[in-house]
């Protein structure tokens, strides 16, 4: 059967998940918010760990997990695709994501180190066939950040590589 790694927040009911106890079909998924700006945990429920008798299988929000079964994405995936999920108003979009990359930045006001994450995405509308490729930059904070000159060069290099990757033709 076709096995794929996806981020825990994109798990879907009906998909099979590889757990420490083997492959199990997902019967429920709950995403718990740590606060209003970030999500912290995904709990997955299977026949072995039900909502009635357990806390489910716990995952961090961006953990990569191995799945099989009904996962979107097939032969039309870009070479950099490592995960799939459905999106759009009626789940009509097949989405592919690259493995995330990140740079460390420092909040300007507090001096706290944070991670600025980014990755490539491909979105295919299953109804129209329209394909879009773009980069995602994820920021779990809303503060200004500081980067040294070498940090800026590293970020610029990685963003150029991301742009080249999403421009790659299949």
């Amino acid at each position: 059967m076709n096995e794929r790694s996806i981020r825990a927040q994109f798990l879907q009911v009906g998909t099979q998940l590889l757990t420490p106890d083997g492959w199990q079909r997902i019967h429920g998924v709950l995403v718990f918010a740590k606060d209003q700006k970030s999500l912290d945990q995904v709990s997955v429920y299977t026949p072995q760990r039900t909502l009635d008798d357990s806390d489910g299988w716990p995952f961090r929000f961006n953990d990569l997990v191995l799945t099989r079964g009904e996962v979107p994405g097939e032969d039309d995936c870009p070479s950099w695709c490592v995960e799939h999920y459905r999106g759009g108003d009626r789940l009509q979009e097949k989405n592919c994501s690259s493995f995330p990359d990140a740079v460390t930045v420092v909040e300007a006001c507090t001096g706290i180190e944070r991670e600025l994450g980014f990755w490539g995405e491909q979105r295919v509308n299953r109804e129209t066939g329209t394909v879009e490729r773009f980069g995602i930059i994820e920021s779990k904070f809303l503060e200004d950040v500081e980067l040294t000159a070498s940090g800026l060069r590293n970020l610029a290099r990685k963003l150029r590589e991301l742009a080249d990757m999403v421009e790659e033709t299949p």
Side-chain angles (χ1 to χ4, degrees), residues 3-17:
E3 297 175 2
R4 302 274 184 172
S5 291
I6 65 171
R7 287 192 205 120
Q9 71 265 31
F10 300 123
L11 289 170
Q12 299 175 4
V13 172
T15 303
Q16 291 185 20
L17 170 69

Side-chain angles (χ1 to χ4, degrees), residues 8-166:
Q9 71 265 31
F10 300 123
L11 289 170
Q12 299 175 4
V13 172
T15 303
Q16 291 185 20
L17 170 69
L18 183 58
T19 70
D21 292 334
W23 289 102
Q24 296 189 36
R25 186 163 307 280
I26 297 172
H27 287 204
V29 179
L30 290 175
V31 178
F32 295 96
K34 180 169 66 174
D35 57 41
Q36 292 181 351
K37 296 179 184 173
S38 66
L39 297 174
D40 188 50
Q41 180 178 322
V42 177
S43 290
V44 179
Y45 298 94
T46 64
Q48 183 180 7
R49 291 195 181 181
T50 68
L51 186 58
D52 296 330
D53 65 10
S54 76
D55 293 330
W57 297 97
F59 297 98
R60 300 291 299 171
F61 191 65
N62 282 315
D63 284 350
L64 286 174
V65 295
L66 194 59
T67 63
R68 67 182 185 188
E70 183 63 26
V71 179
E74 304 298 331
D75 298 329
D76 57 352
C77 293
S79 62
W80 41 263
C81 177
V82 296
E83 78 172 77
H84 306 95
Y85 64 97
R86 286 198 176 101
D89 293 337
R90 295 181 324 279
L91 299 178
Q92 79 275 13
E93 297 168 347
K94 287 183 359 181
N95 298 284
C96 295
S97 293
S98 70
F99 195 80
D101 199 352
V103 295
T104 300
V105 299
V106 176
E107 285 186 357
C109 295
T110 65
I112 296 172
E113 285 190 353
R114 301 286 185 182
E115 192 172 79
L116 180 68
F118 44 91
W119 60 89
E121 293 250 349
Q122 174 178 284
R123 181 181 302 142
V124 179
N125 187 300
R126 296 182 317 161
E127 294 173 356
T128 66
T130 304
V131 177
E132 297 176 278
R133 285 190 175 176
F134 48 90
I136 302 285
I137 298 177
E138 175 186 51
S139 172
K140 292 185 178 171
F141 49 90
L142 300 175
E143 299 293 322
D144 294 339
V145 296
E146 298 173 351
L147 287 142
T148 63
S150 65
L152 287 167
R153 285 184 186 90
N154 185 39
L155 176 60
R157 178 185 56 79
K158 288 183 174 196
L159 290 176
R160 275 192 306 277
E161 290 171 359
L162 177 63
D164 291 344
M165 183 185 73
V166 298

